[in-house]
Amino acid sequence: MNRASLLQETAAWMDTVDLALCLFIYEVCNDYQFEYLSGSDFVNFLNLKPTGRAVIVRPKENLRICYMVFSIARTIKPRERGKLWSEEFLKRCGISKSYYDKHRSDVCNKGATKENQDFRKSIDKAVENARRLKGTP
Amino acid sequence: MMIRQITRRLHEVNTLLATYGQGVLSFEQVLPPSLFYQDFNDTNLLVREAACLVKENPGQLLDFSSSLLSETNKYLSLDRTPLQSVDFETLFREHLKPFELRYGEAKATATKLWSEYSAMSSRLDFLPLDSEEYRSLDAKCSAAKAKYDVAHAHANLLYKEWVQERDRNFCVWCFKPVFLDVLVERLQGIAESIISDIRRMKEGEP
């Protein structure tokens, strides 16, 4: 869609991260990796839009958030857009790019804790559910 | 076009919530909200459609948006506790049970027929080809195989039906009332923005 279209205010509602995926991720991360947020605020936050209340990343959750970002970025097309989205989102979470590059797949490692393994499964399931809901192969 | 159907479908959900009495919602009752979420969660598509329609027929787009705004306002003002107390996963499983049972029974029947055919076929291997017993058993064996083939095809058909029903109603299994609330809040925002954009266009503002 041409962003300079007739519907300028409406165009601001365009999302980068699919709504269904945002909400499946919300079920996993809200009140765990992030302090409680309303569903709409969480969707806005994932889409780099203003939120009604400030988003607070919970302590010691950066590793898991990196995997969440990594998984979401892979669903954004084209790939370059996903990369830009992840860079901007990490900034909002206060996570450095170097930390992300080093740790984004740590929860998949053989030696990952049970909590991290479970988190990985939940995120993978969220991505899979969003894909199935869309009926995409 | 999504924009032409969305208001009518949301109206169906609102009617369900407004007319719902007491007791637990059935599978058939939870289908409309689940399907609504499945069919209209792509809000980017709605924005794209609006951008096209505003060039062709802004008056019609304004009508659609006003109706959508009205239905979203109605939804958000209704008591949604009936939906919040539903265990969607259990309803989904209960709905699928008969399909699973039918398939299980057909599979058991086919397996039994296969065992019968298999036993006859094994016995044939030990009989002289020119014996009367062979000829008689060979005919029975062919009949048993034909019976098994029919039962096997029937079991396959029921399996496909079960899988189709499971996939078709996936939206019920994964549904959460908060998903619909967020979607409707966004639809409300989009409808308001369209109306405001069209008003600005009419007034000739940039």
Side-chain angles (χ1 to χ4, degrees):
Chain A
M1 198 186 83
N2 179 9
R3 297 295 175 119
S5 67
L6 298 169
L7 301 177
Q8 287 174 17
E9 188 183 315
T10 311
W13 285 96
M14 288 293 278
D15 288 331
T16 306
V17 184
D18 167 67
L19 177 69
L21 177 59
C22 287
L23 292 171
F24 282 125
I25 296 279
Y26 176 69
E27 287 288 298
V28 179
C29 298
N30 185 47
D31 231 0
Y32 290 97
Q33 278 64 50
F34 306 98
E35 294 283 338
Y36 176 84
L37 280 174
S38 70
S40 287
D41 260 355
F42 191 80
V43 174
N44 285 333
F45 175 55
L46 280 190
N47 281 290
L48 314 174
K49 291 174 185 172
T51 53
R53 56 195 279 187
V55 179
I56 300 166
V57 175
R58 290 213 165 141
K60 297 182 184 171
E61 292 297 340
N62 284 1
L63 198 71
R64 293 184 186 123
I65 290 173
C66 285
Y67 185 68
M68 182 201 85
V69 172
F70 178 56
S71 301
I72 293 174
R74 284 193 297 185
T75 69
I76 301 170
K77 303 282 181 287
R79 208 186 166 119
E80 189 56 29
R81 193 163 165 238
K83 212 177 148 202
L84 290 173
W85 171 84
S86 57
E87 284 172 10
E88 188 55 38
F89 187 80
L90 288 167
K91 268 187 216 163
R92 292 190 177 212
C93 294
I95 299 172
S96 71
K97 177 80 170 51
S98 57
Y99 180 89
Y100 171 73
D101 287 339
K102 202 173 168 192
H103 297 290
R104 66 188 188 185
S105 298
D106 279 10
V107 298
C108 307
N109 289 348
K110 261 189 174 177
T113 62
K114 169 88 170 54
E115 287 79 7
N116 285 347
Q117 285 176 22
D118 288 347
F119 177 77
R120 182 210 171 173
K121 281 181 200 159
S122 301
I123 291 291
D124 291 350
K125 195 177 162 200
V127 173
E128 171 64 13
N129 282 347
R131 189 190 62 76
R132 278 189 73 183
L133 192 71
K134 292 260 168 216
T136 47
Chain B
M1 270 182 113
M2 172 184 183
I3 203 164
R4 294 179 203 275
Q5 301 163 19
I6 195 163
T7 305
R8 180 183 56 79
R9 295 275 303 277
L10 184 57
H11 180 75
E12 286 171 14
V13 176
N14 285 341
T15 306
L16 167 78
L17 290 171
T19 57
Y20 171 77
Q22 293 294 312
V24 184
L25 285 170
S26 68
F27 181 83
E28 285 68 28
Q29 285 173 310
V30 301
L31 254 184
S34 311
L35 281 171
F36 179 84
Y37 178 70
Q38 175 184 258
D39 295 342
F40 301 109
N41 70 67
D42 187 353
T43 47
N44 283 354
L45 182 61
L46 179 66
V47 173
R48 282 193 209 101
E49 285 186 2
C52 290
L53 192 56
V54 74
K55 290 173 195 158
E56 295 164 16
N57 195 339
Q60 194 180 39
L61 178 62
L62 187 61
D63 289 345
F64 284 151
S65 306
S66 303
S67 308
L68 178 59
L69 181 61
S70 160
E71 286 301 330
T72 54
N73 287 341
K74 187 171 180 197
Y75 173 87
L76 293 169
S77 71
L78 284 166
D79 173 21
R80 275 118 57 202
T81 36
L83 277 183
Q84 278 148 12
S85 53
V86 172
D87 181 346
F88 289 85
E89 233 179 284
T90 303
L91 273 185
F92 172 81
R93 286 187 208 288
E94 291 297 319
H95 174 73
L96 276 189
K97 246 182 201 167
F99 291 86
E100 193 179 348
L101 277 176
R102 275 200 293 274
Y103 164 64
E105 281 168 11
K107 191 178 152 195
T109 305
T111 306
K112 191 168 169 268
L113 288 171
W114 173 260
S115 302
E116 286 169 12
Y117 158 72
S118 203
M120 280 186 221
S121 179
S122 301
R123 262 184 67 207
L124 275 180
D125 291 342
F126 296 99
L127 292 174
L129 290 173
D130 55 354
S131 69
E132 183 52 36
E133 197 184 352
Y134 181 92
R135 277 191 290 276
S136 156
L137 190 62
D138 188 35
K140 281 183 188 167
C141 193
S142 298
K145 175 69 167 59
K147 226 173 151 184
Y148 162 74
D149 285 343
V150 171
H152 181 63
H154 181 58
N156 273 349
L157 187 77
L158 290 178
Y159 178 75
K160 275 183 193 161
E161 266 182 27
W162 174 33
V163 170
Q164 262 175 14
E165 192 66 13
R166 188 193 62 192
D167 292 347
R168 190 165 43 225
N169 297 303
F170 175 73
C171 60
V172 174
W173 179 76
C174 67
F175 184 80
K176 299 276 184 311
V178 67
F179 294 177
L180 187 57
D181 289 351
V182 173
L183 173 60
V184 175
E185 283 170 19
R186 294 182 85 73
L187 293 176
Q188 184 190 46
I190 292 170
E192 280 171 350
S193 292
I194 294 172
I195 293 166
S196 149
D197 276 330
I198 293 178
R199 192 172 296 140
R200 203 171 36 241
M201 278 165 56
K202 278 182 179 170
E203 289 164 2
E205 287 175 29

